[in-house]
Amino acid sequence: MVTLKLEVDRGRCTGIGICESFAPDRFEVDDDGTLLVRGGELVGDAEREEIERAVDGCPAAALRLVEGVS
Amino acid sequence: MSRRLVIVGASLAGLRAAEGARKAGFDGEVTLIGAEQHLPYDRPPLSKKYLTGDGAADFYRAEADLRAELDLRLSTTATSLHPDEHVVTTSEGNISYDALVIATGAAARSLPGVADSSRVLTLRTLDDADRLRAHIRPGARVVVVGGGFIGAEIASSAQQIGAQATIVEAARVPLVRAVGEMVGETLSQLHARNGVRLLTETSVLDCIETAFVQEIHLSSGEVLPADVVVIGVGAAPATEWLRGSGVELDPIDGGVVCDAFLRTSVPDVYAAGDVAHWPNGLLDVTMRLENWTNAAEQAGRAGANAADPENAVAYETVPYFWSEWYGQRIQFVGTPMADRVEFLEGEREEDRFVALYTTGDRVVGAATLNQPRKIMKLRRLISERGGPAAAQTIIDDGQSAATGATP
Ligand SMILES: Cc1cc2nc3c(=O)[nH]c(=O)nc-3n(C[C@H](O)[C@H](O)[C@H](O)COP(=O)(O)OP(=O)(O)OC[C@H]3O[C@@H](n4cnc5c(N)ncnc54)[C@H](O)[C@@H]3O)c2cc1C
Ligand code: SF4
């Protein structure tokens, strides 16, 4: 089965938080600007669109969706 | 016959318009025209980590990858548009289009009466940043004219490198248009606290080049010696090439006037990014934004609408921008045009605050300093047309009352 995985490049992420405004259930920036990701790396169909928006919206290009086979 | 989408301006908005068209199923040819010689690159670092030498230029996509998807024409400047013929004239010849997206952004304004010189610079492009970087060395005297976000970032970066920066601002309070008077005043105090002199209500009368320095004559009578002068007095939409084309331009700043679907006044021509005015349904205000997030989102929409006009979708957004001065993070969402502005969460602390902008019982904007956890929850609240009570809940415990997100 083809699955979609979310990858976060911690070296690039600057905690700007655009991702949180699109997918608040999955992303949250904490008080010191560190990004918290909830719910694991697998991306389900129902949330795919909002996660794509988060990926496109990230000004630091820190998020990626990669296809994998499991 | 396959359709051709031409995009003028090969920066953030241009690239996102191309991607938006493809996502909407466009399978014709996409031609991306850009005046600069560079591949599309990211501008925000130019006044921040690129200027301080902490990072290389950030190109969005590798050249081969980009050329595989579209017809990329760099070092090519559009000089006029002919909507009746569906032709754009460029420095390299005519190109016909079926649909076209204007993404020419904005260009740095110069200061009237101040002659160009190798020591008087502006900052908009990578080439500008390279020139500026060569001048901002430890010990250099840097005078920044204009206390807006880019001016403030340049001063902060200069300070970080060990140069001595001074900001000259004509208004009594900087940033009033961007964040309003109260927040503008509070933010501008960061300069003095970090050792940068901010002169307000001061204008530049003359800038005289001598053998070794640039002498800046101020309205206060003071003369500032400078190794380099940066003019940071804002940017104007790059629409000279559209004059006389029939595309309606804003009478004040010359930006392209669009409708909610990002269509211009002529058929099959759209606009997005720093160049475009459009009615933003979320805030019921017609606006032109100069920020990264809008350019990216709006252009994706313009590209999709241009590719598939029958299924065009109106574009609306809660504006968002960030800035960084002296290692501090400033974030703003919504609009500063509000009936009331107040600092919440007790007293405004030196290096941390949340300010809320409200009109009637609706929150329309928020500004934060070093509160990254709260700002996006407030952005969501504004998009849901929430009120001050819900905002207070977010501010008090950092949770989104509107979405019920749990930590
Ligand atoms: C120094 C700096 C720092 C910034 N920092 C931030 C920040 O911290 N946060 C934030 O949100 N935003 C920031 N911004 C703003 C952000 O970079 C812009 O909103 C964004 O680049 C707009 O994208 P755009 O594609 O609409 O326009 P632009 O990036 O201006 O691109 C327009 C392109 O079109 C080309 N062009 C112009 N005329 C023609 C023509 N006739 N023919 C062909 N090509 C043409 C130009 O050469 C340019 O490459 C910053 C901007 C600058 C300059
Ligand atoms: S939008 Fe990007 S940079 Fe910002 S917090 Fe999310 S991943 Fe990090």
Side-chain angles (χ1 to χ4, degrees):
Chain A
M1 199 182 94
V2 179
T3 55
L4 268 186
K5 270 206 225 163
L6 173 70
E7 283 183 2
V8 183
D9 182 338
R10 296 280 168 185
R12 294 194 64 98
C13 173
T14 54
I16 279 169
I18 283 288
C19 51
E20 180 177 341
S21 70
F22 291 128
D25 296 340
R26 294 290 246 126
F27 302 102
E28 186 177 17
V29 176
D30 74 6
D31 285 322
D32 61 9
T34 308
L35 176 66
L36 314 172
V37 182
R38 288 194 203 89
E41 57 179 14
L42 282 183
V43 174
D45 284 346
E47 58 179 3
R48 181 173 178 159
E49 198 183 312
E50 57 174 43
I51 296 212
E52 277 178 353
R53 289 190 71 189
V55 170
D56 288 345
C58 172
L63 299 176
R64 255 177 11 124
L65 272 177
V66 288
E67 282 187 0
V69 182
S70 67
Chain B
M1 215 188 72
S2 110
R3 291 174 73 226
R4 184 196 268 158
L5 171 65
V6 173
I7 300 166
V8 187
S11 179
L12 177 59
L15 193 59
R16 291 302 179 96
E19 292 169 357
R22 291 287 185 229
K23 271 193 193 151
F26 185 76
D27 58 3
E29 189 178 351
V30 176
T31 300
L32 181 60
I33 303 171
E36 292 182 69
Q37 58 172 345
H38 304 290
L39 289 169
Y41 59 87
D42 205 30
R43 270 178 227 288
L46 298 183
S47 49
K48 308 178 185 75
K49 66 176 198 240
Y50 188 74
L51 200 56
T52 53
D54 296 324
D58 217 334
F59 296 101
Y60 295 120
R61 303 271 300 272
E63 179 157 13
D65 183 29
L66 204 54
R67 290 200 191 271
E69 278 170 40
L70 48 78
D71 168 21
L72 180 64
R73 317 255 184 114
L74 298 177
S75 304
T76 302
T77 305
T79 50
S80 59
L81 184 74
H82 310 281
D84 292 344
E85 294 86 42
H86 276 57
V87 164
V88 55
T89 301
T90 78
S91 54
E92 313 299 313
N94 284 348
I95 302 172
S96 60
Y97 64 84
D98 295 292
L100 182 134
V101 178
I102 299 167
T104 45
R109 286 184 215 269
S110 53
L111 201 62
V114 173
D116 277 352
S117 129
S118 61
R119 285 201 297 258
V120 179
L121 305 172
T122 53
L123 177 58
R124 180 80 197 176
T125 66
L126 187 54
D127 295 344
D128 292 342
D130 285 333
R131 273 189 289 272
L132 190 54
R133 209 154 79 153
H135 278 93
I136 303 188
R137 298 198 196 87
R141 290 159 299 180
V142 180
V143 172
V144 180
V145 181
F149 280 106
I150 291 179
E153 289 179 3
I154 294 168
S156 151
S157 295
Q159 197 73 359
Q160 193 182 324
I161 295 169
Q164 182 59 55
T166 306
I167 302 174
V168 179
E169 165 65 50
R172 194 180 65 75
V173 177
L175 299 170
V176 170
R177 220 165 35 107
V179 298
E181 178 135 351
M182 224 159 98
V183 173
E185 177 137 34
T186 305
L187 289 177
S188 62
Q189 291 165 5
L190 285 171
H191 296 303
R193 281 213 293 282
N194 289 279
V196 167
R197 225 177 132 203
L198 167 68
L199 306 172
T200 54
E201 288 182 280
T202 306
S203 49
V204 173
L205 298 181
D206 208 351
C207 204
I208 296 168
E209 174 138 33
T210 70
F212 301 106
V213 291
Q214 203 76 31
E215 279 182 355
I216 301 153
H217 295 254
L218 302 177
S219 53
S220 58
E222 191 176 346
V223 179
L224 291 176
D227 299 299
V228 61
V229 183
V230 196
I231 309 295
V233 294
T239 53
E240 265 315 304
W241 64 286
L242 292 168
R243 300 235 172 249
S245 67
V247 172
E248 186 185 346
L249 301 179
D250 181 80
I252 296 168
D253 71 6
V256 176
V257 175
C258 297
D259 67 8
F261 297 89
L262 307 172
R263 297 181 291 219
T264 69
S265 61
V266 308
D268 306 317
V269 177
Y270 299 73
D274 283 14
V275 79
H277 289 262
W278 98 109
N280 183 358
L282 243 172
L283 292 165
D284 311 311
V285 187
T286 292
M287 48 176 74
R288 180 175 74 81
L289 298 170
E290 288 183 1
N291 65 56
W292 194 100
T293 301
N294 178 63
E297 289 178 20
Q298 189 176 43
R301 180 42 58 207
N305 287 355
D308 186 5
E310 281 87 63
N311 296 306
V313 175
Y315 173 69
E316 52 177 43
T317 192
V318 177
Y320 166 70
F321 65 80
W322 76 95
S323 184
E324 264 167 41
W325 312 354
Y326 316 105
Q328 322 240 25
R329 164 134 326 156
I330 298 157
Q331 292 172 290
F332 187 90
V333 292
T335 170
M337 286 182 279
D339 293 346
R340 262 193 337 276
V341 185
E342 54 189 330
F343 284 94
L344 295 183
E345 95 163 18
E347 286 304 294
R348 65 182 110 147
E349 290 169 50
E350 282 218 324
D351 289 330
R352 217 169 130 90
F353 67 70
V354 179
L356 210 60
Y357 300 68
T358 45
T359 291
D361 57 4
R362 184 178 175 196
V363 176
V364 294
T368 62
L369 178 63
N370 296 325
Q371 292 282 21
R373 182 164 134 149
K374 300 190 174 154
I375 193 75
M376 288 302 159
K377 297 176 179 72
L378 292 167
R379 187 182 194 215
R380 223 170 151 95
L381 176 94
I382 295 168
S383 77
E384 288 159 358
R385 299 177 179 258
Q392 188 69 56
T393 311
I394 292 173
I395 290 161
D396 288 344
D397 61 14
Q399 297 210 4
S400 174
T403 61
T406 45

